Amino acid sequence: MLARIWSASLLGIQAIRVGVEVDVSGGLPGIVIVGLPDTAVQESKERVRAALRNAGFAFPMRRVVVNLMPADLRKEGPSFDLSIGLGVLAASDQLTLTHLNDYLFLGELSLDGVLHPVSGVLPIAATALKLGFKGIVVPSANAAEAAVVAGLKVYGFETVAQVVDFLHDPEAVVPASPGATPPDPEQQLNRMDLRDVKGQAHARRALEIAAAGGHNLVFVGPPGSGKTMLAWRLPTILPPLHLNEALEVTKIYSVAGLLKERGTLIQSRPFRSPHHSASGPALVGGGSFPRPGEISLAHHGILFLDELTEFKRDVLEFLRQPLEDGFVNISRTRQSVAFPAQFTLVASTNPCPCGYFGDSVQACTCSPRQRESYWAKLSGPLMDRIDLQVSVNRLKPTELTQGKEGEASAPIRDRVLAARDRSRDRFAQEPKLHCNAQMQSRHLREWCILDDASRQLLEAAIQRLGLSARGTDRILKVARTIADLDASTSLQVAHVAEAIQYRTLDRMQ
């Protein structure tokens, strides 16, 4: 007898429906799985056999053929265990076919028939809703995650036997509801706040501009000047995620298998800080079956690279295309996937190998050649993509000993939110634009019009600093954000002048 049941597979963060066909016929006893299964899927035949027997069902002593379609799509992971098991039961007349095609099934089976959670449930649930399924059946541990998708009935079970009972009478089971969300952003502010940062008014202003416009930022300064401390407090002044953004971020973490750490729906912007020993695939994603890397896990949030010049140059060069396009393509022999990567890059570095070049107290011990080699790790095209390049100087003794606190995160965040609201009104007809840093040339021509004085100032800066066309556009974007913070509809000379001041590394070269 032939039975067909529905499951799904992931391609990037998109889900594709997979038909699980099971045929039980005469022949030598055994089970064969076809349809480009990976090792984990091939091993499911042993898990399914033991799970069904230990759950009280009979495994047919006949030839069982399982076909996963479409046959040209690579199938991976243990999430097909439940659908294969139910297909075997249906094909051997132990389960009615009446409701099988109404639902999509996911779940890994243990040898005693218990269902274990799997990754990528959220994007699969969203696809199930689009395809018109009545609901989705998942392990209990995944139910709250899938229930985030409004309008879809989600059923979570502990064992395969409970799933069989459900299929006999679906109306007797109440669908699951969304689980608890992560802590409110206000609680994050109570733990970490910009009031902890003493002095550094120039750097704090740069953080505010970066948060208001989504601009990439690098801090350059001696050890102990507060670069890392400043960067870690940037999330406390960022605007909260909108619902669509939260769903995008949650899908990525679901595919990566990291959602359990963040709750069912991620509502705070991600902050990722990989070590400088990270490889290219760890940063951008990869693997035989591509998985999102750090830049995708930082989608709609912050990617913080501490000790920027300690990263390998070839690893840093991987960032150039995602910083420009907002996504990363990963190509493999059998497939090519795209992961979203609209992140704000924040980095910190010392000015030289010893860390004290230009310091007012401690003399630099590096030779000019050592400093040149140190900065050679950062290519011109990469630095062109960093809008705000800020020098962070050593604190004065009086600033260190005074008990005076800096401005708290809350009022700064209020100004950031007001600036974002102004830019959002301006982007009302541009749904793909979320912040000033994402503006293209045509947007600059419309919203960054310069008067004569501002134009002359910018032209002088281009000539003196040797700015590229991209670097010039970055200045205009930063100036537009500064104007939004000032509640100004047009760019003024002061806005352009302040934006030029954030090209520290151009002046150092």
Side-chain angles (χ1 to χ4, degrees), residues 445-497:
R445 290 193 297 270
E446 181 178 357
W447 295 318
C448 297
I449 300 174
L450 301 175
D451 56 25
D452 290 339
S454 299
R455 185 178 298 106
Q456 291 174 7
L457 177 62
L458 182 57
E459 289 173 354
I462 294 172
Q463 183 174 8
R464 182 183 181 112
L465 302 178
L467 295 174
S468 66
R470 182 184 289 113
T472 303
D473 286 349
R474 300 280 172 176
I475 287 179
L476 291 175
K477 294 175 185 179
V478 172
R480 180 65 266 173
T481 299
I482 296 171
D484 288 339
L485 287 168
D486 286 348
S488 174
T489 56
S490 60
L491 296 188
Q492 307 296 326
V493 174
H495 304 145
V496 177

Side-chain angles (χ1 to χ4, degrees), residues 401-420:
T401 57
Q402 286 178 352
K404 183 180 179 182
E405 293 181 340
E407 186 179 15
S409 293
I412 300 175
R413 188 178 55 161
D414 291 340
R415 295 197 295 268
V416 167
L417 291 174
R420 289 265 186 159

Side-chain angles (χ1 to χ4, degrees), residues 28-51:
L28 292 175
I31 179 171
V32 178
I33 301 178
V34 297
L36 284 183
D38 74 342
T39 303
V41 179
Q42 286 284 9
E43 292 174 347
S44 68
K45 56 189 177 183
E46 302 301 333
R47 291 193 297 271
V48 169
R49 190 196 313 269

Side-chain angles (χ1 to χ4, degrees), residues 4-24:
R4 180 182 293 117
I5 194 169
W6 297 105
S7 189
S9 183
L10 291 170
L11 186 61
I13 63 168
Q14 303 301 320
I16 299 175
R17 179 172 57 177
V18 172
V20 180
E21 295 180 322
V22 180
D23 178 67
V24 177

Side-chain angles (χ1 to χ4, degrees), residues 276-392:
H276 58 73
S277 62
S279 64
L283 206 60
V284 302
S288 301
F289 299 96
R291 284 289 181 264
E294 291 292 339
I295 63 174
S296 294
L297 294 173
H299 184 55
H300 290 316
I302 304 296
L303 177 68
F304 176 47
L305 302 184
D306 202 4
E307 303 298 341
L308 180 65
T309 48
E310 297 299 323
F311 284 80
K312 295 180 180 179
R313 177 174 174 132
D314 60 336
V315 172
L316 293 177
E317 292 303 297
F318 284 132
L319 296 174
R320 287 166 54 177
Q321 181 256 336
L323 282 172
E324 199 71 23
D325 300 336
F327 62 90
V328 57
N329 281 313
I330 301 175
S331 298
R332 293 294 180 265
T333 303
R334 295 182 179 272
Q335 61 182 343
S336 178
V337 300
F339 291 113
Q342 286 186 348
F343 60 94
T344 298
L345 175 63
V346 179
S348 68
T349 183
N350 295 329
C352 65
C354 78
Y356 295 102
F357 180 66
D359 186 50
S360 59
V361 176
Q362 189 163 337
C364 175
T365 60
C366 304
S367 67
R369 185 177 183 87
Q370 286 177 313
R371 289 195 292 269
E372 182 180 353
S373 176
Y374 183 76
W375 284 103
K377 293 183 179 180
L378 307 179
S379 67
L382 176 62
M383 299 312 297
D384 254 358
R385 290 168 167 82
I386 299 181
D387 308 5
L388 303 167
Q389 304 167 1
V390 183
S391 288
V392 182

Side-chain angles (χ1 to χ4, degrees), residues 4 64 143 226 236 262 273 281 348 393 402 454 502:
R4 180 182 293 117
V64 179
T236 66
R262 302 292 298 265
S273 180
S348 68
N393 299 319
Q402 286 178 352
S454 299
Y502 293 112

